[in-house]
Amino acid sequence: MTTLTRQQALDIFNSRAATRHYAPSKKISEEDFHAILEFARLSPSSVGAEPWQFLVIQNPQLREKIKPVAWGIKHPMNEMSHLVVILAKKNARYDSDFMRQSLERRNLNQAQIEKSLNVYQTFQTEHIKILDNERTLFDWASKQTYIALANMMTGAALLGIDSCPIEGFIYDEVNRILSEEGLVDLNEYGVSVMVTFGYRSQEPRPKMRKPQSEVVRWIE
């Protein structure tokens, strides 16, 4: 297995930046983008729920419909190579068919499934307390999608591909557009975040971050 040195890994993290300007003539290969999607699919999630779906929006007409309500995408829609809308599950309750099916995929027997669901019930109702309303449950699922989002962007950087996470859009409108296109059942999923991919057309500003001394505390 090929491994990076510590400095090589740090150099990649330092060079990765939210890309606002892409080279429209440079497109990501099918093989490389399949790998980026695999980085998402292989990501961890709380209780292994995988409460996500990934819509790869390459249709120019659909991109143009999204454009007026996606103010966070600063460049023309045709500049980026790929646009991904990440959906989060709306009803990933411990007692839902969705959660039961996620356990069945692990080839657990019935006793193991019931034991796990009892653990999830305690977790959701007493420990993390996300069953107060539909929004808290959806926000919990959305938190999981951000793990996949980060892995997609970091994995892309490892391949020399740029990206930009996008929260700057009108969520109700993007949900409406995707629903009208038959791409999402809003009873089941909702938009969590978007992300663009491509190759930068200009160098970003130098990365500015707080020093480690301000954000890390060692307790020994």
Side-chain angles (χ1 to χ4, degrees):
M1 181 177 66
T2 303
T3 60
L4 298 173
T5 67
R6 183 187 307 108
Q7 190 57 53
Q8 286 173 327
L10 285 170
D11 288 344
I12 290 170
F13 269 76
N14 274 308
S15 66
R16 194 218 61 78
T19 300
R20 301 295 185 181
H21 302 280
Y22 292 106
S25 62
K26 296 184 67 176
K27 302 301 179 184
I28 301 168
S29 71
E30 182 178 343
E31 294 79 11
D32 280 349
F33 203 76
H34 176 75
I36 290 171
L37 294 173
E38 282 294 278
F39 299 148
R41 187 184 69 85
L42 295 171
S43 296
S45 58
S46 182
V47 302
E50 301 174 64
W52 48 50
Q53 288 186 357
F54 305 89
L55 302 182
V56 185
I57 309 295
Q58 298 302 86
N59 181 279
Q61 290 75 31
L62 181 53
R63 284 189 179 187
E64 286 302 312
K65 287 184 179 181
I66 293 173
K67 179 180 177 179
V69 297
W71 52 267
I73 299 177
K74 302 296 186 182
H75 51 78
M77 279 287 190
N78 63 351
E79 278 193 4
M80 73 185 85
S81 176
H82 289 69
L83 169 64
V84 179
V85 177
I86 305 180
L87 307 177
K89 192 76 173 73
K90 283 189 171 180
N91 56 346
R93 287 174 52 97
Y94 69 91
D95 54 358
S96 66
D97 290 340
F98 175 83
M99 292 297 283
R100 182 173 290 275
Q101 289 165 5
S102 73
L103 290 168
E104 290 173 348
R105 282 195 297 272
R106 302 177 208 173
N107 296 318
L108 302 180
N109 61 41
Q110 195 59 37
Q112 291 171 321
I113 290 174
E114 296 305 323
K115 181 178 179 180
S116 294
L117 291 176
N118 287 334
V119 172
Y120 296 172
Q121 179 180 8
T122 302
F123 168 65
Q124 290 189 340
T125 57
E126 299 178 23
H127 296 167
I128 198 170
K129 297 182 179 178
I130 55 174
L131 299 186
D132 294 341
N133 54 64
E134 292 181 357
R135 182 57 194 245
T136 54
L137 189 60
F138 177 72
D139 285 348
W140 172 73
S142 293
K143 285 165 62 177
Q144 314 315 310
T145 70
Y146 275 63
I147 301 173
L149 169 69
N151 282 344
M152 292 175 81
M153 293 191 299
T154 302
L158 290 170
L159 299 176
I161 295 167
D162 297 298
S163 61
C164 184
I166 306 293
E167 288 187 322
F169 56 92
I170 304 173
Y171 284 72
D172 287 346
E173 286 299 299
V174 176
N175 276 313
R176 178 188 61 79
I177 291 167
L178 296 178
S179 176
E180 289 178 353
E181 293 289 327
L183 299 174
V184 59
D185 179 352
L186 295 180
N187 292 316
E188 297 293 330
Y189 285 87
V191 175
S192 172
V193 67
M194 299 194 290
V195 56
T196 63
F197 295 93
Y199 295 94
R200 66 184 67 175
S201 61
Q202 54 186 264
E203 286 303 308
R205 297 175 182 175
K207 180 169 288 188
M208 301 297 293
R209 293 291 188 272
K210 295 177 182 178
Q212 199 176 110
S213 59
E214 287 189 22
V215 298
V216 176
R217 296 174 61 195
W218 288 70
I219 296 86
E220 298 179 344

